[in-house]
Amino acid sequence: MTNHFGKFINKILSELKPTIFIPTRNRSIFRGSKAKQQNLSPYIILKATKEDYDHVLKLMHECFYIEEPTCLSLNLNHNTILDETALKNMAEGITLVARCKYDGCIVGACINNTTNPWDPDLKEKLACNVQCTKTKQLLLFQAHVQRFPRLWNCYDVQKVFEISNVFLKRELRKTDIMEKLVRESKDLAADCGYKVVRLDATSKNLVELCKKVNMELAAEIPYCMYIGKNNKPVFDPPHPNDSVKIYVDVDPQIKKVVGNDSSISK
């Protein structure tokens, strides 16, 4: 009887099909350990509310524009157009903030939004209606960078989750808060079903951050090759910020369908 039972079990096992494992990006709702880790820090990552928008803008004025290489190169600080753009992005409801658990103070933010294939054209039209020359130059460059890798075509998607601006209070730069903001943004994108996440690293520090969170380099635009009407580079940021590097996080289940043959000069 033992022989017959053994043969029966072997027959069942032989008929079982092997399980095929298809890798997918981690979904934050399945990672309970992360909540425990956050409890050890005085700062937590949360979605920004409408009441947070003005606080995020103020922090952006203090920590982002005065150090971001393209704005620094143009000697351009915040203005109404840039603030309206940031508020429009925050209105999508996918911006994250780093908040102190004890006093509720916002110490950092990751302004996230989604982009469509026609958005670079809309940004160029906006630039044409702007009186400030420096703001116009910045918007035109942003439209060029946004269009350059053609991610919508490359991955056959209609929307791309874009990590537009990441910033943190200076005294906390040596912590891992900014890394957490980016990682949480990637998780949020995955949870919402977005297949492609992009971050345009305009500085060396952001490049290192993208590498740390395992994002992949998709394209690079050297500042010296973005030429203005006077046939001179528009930007001359301080060393070591020599280019914009476009990083992506792509769902492994989708494949790149179109190559990138864009020109890197204007």
Side-chain angles (χ1 to χ4, degrees):
M1 179 151 180
T2 305
N3 262 346
H4 290 300
F5 181 73
K7 288 178 182 179
F8 176 70
I9 294 298
N10 287 334
K11 183 179 179 182
I12 292 175
L13 292 175
S14 66
E15 290 176 355
L16 288 175
K17 294 181 179 179
T19 301
I20 299 174
F21 174 73
I22 301 175
T24 58
R25 287 185 293 170
N26 291 326
R27 300 307 197 255
S28 60
I29 56 176
F30 296 123
R31 295 212 302 274
S33 61
K34 179 165 53 178
K36 293 179 182 178
Q37 292 174 359
Q38 285 209 107
N39 287 336
L40 300 176
S41 170
Y43 304 101
I44 54 175
I45 310 300
L46 300 168
K47 267 191 181 183
T49 65
K50 289 182 180 180
E51 290 74 22
D52 294 330
Y53 292 174
D54 288 339
H55 298 287
V56 172
L57 272 184
K58 183 179 178 182
L59 186 64
M60 195 176 185
H61 297 168
E62 296 171 356
C63 307
F64 179 76
Y65 291 115
I66 60 174
E67 296 180 354
E68 196 279 322
T70 57
C71 293
L72 187 62
S73 182
L74 292 172
N75 193 26
L76 178 65
N77 207 328
H78 62 91
N79 57 40
T80 303
I81 299 297
L82 298 181
D83 284 352
E84 287 177 352
T85 300
L87 286 169
K88 180 184 176 183
N89 291 340
M90 284 189 277
E92 287 198 47
I94 50 178
T95 289
L96 299 181
V97 295
R99 189 189 300 276
C100 179
K101 291 190 290 187
Y102 306 113
D103 60 14
C105 178
I106 294 175
V107 298
C110 200
I111 298 180
N112 301 318
N113 62 287
T114 58
T115 57
N116 300 285
W118 54 83
D119 282 329
D121 294 335
L122 294 178
K123 186 159 281 191
E124 286 180 348
K125 288 181 180 179
L126 172 63
C128 291
N129 294 318
V130 172
Q131 298 299 319
C132 174
T133 302
K134 294 177 180 179
T135 304
K136 185 191 294 286
Q137 289 176 319
L138 180 64
L139 291 174
L140 288 173
F141 180 64
Q142 289 176 347
H144 175 63
V145 172
Q146 201 171 52
R147 181 186 291 116
F148 176 72
R150 301 190 301 132
L151 297 179
W152 305 282
N153 295 331
C154 288
Y155 296 104
D156 193 25
V157 293
Q158 190 62 32
K159 280 183 177 287
V160 168
F161 187 102
E162 184 168 340
I163 300 173
S164 298
N165 310 105
V166 192
F167 45 93
L168 185 68
K169 284 191 173 183
R170 294 180 187 177
E171 61 268 26
L172 297 172
R173 298 282 170 84
K174 292 184 180 180
T175 67
D176 63 349
I177 297 174
M178 192 172 288
E179 180 185 342
K180 285 181 178 178
L181 281 166
V182 174
R183 288 190 185 276
E184 292 278 352
S185 295
K186 287 172 55 182
D187 290 343
L188 176 60
D191 290 344
C192 293
Y194 293 103
K195 302 297 184 182
V196 181
V197 179
R198 74 177 285 171
L199 193 163
D200 301 336
T202 57
S203 68
K204 185 69 174 178
N205 289 337
L206 272 182
V207 168
E208 296 304 317
L209 178 58
C210 288
K211 291 178 181 178
K212 200 169 185 179
V213 299
N214 300 317
M215 296 186 79
E216 179 185 352
L217 180 63
E220 181 175 7
I221 305 174
Y223 288 124
C224 63
M225 297 189 72
Y226 182 77
I227 307 301
K229 292 181 179 179
N230 58 358
N231 291 324
K232 294 182 179 180
V234 174
F235 302 101
D236 184 24
H239 180 79
N241 308 302
D242 55 3
S243 66
V244 178
K245 293 185 178 181
I246 301 160
Y247 282 86
V248 296
D249 179 61
V250 181
D251 191 315
Q253 294 188 63
I254 67 171
K255 294 182 179 180
K256 193 172 183 179
V257 294
V258 179
N260 177 11
D261 57 358
S262 303
S263 172
I264 58 177
S265 61
K266 187 173 179 178

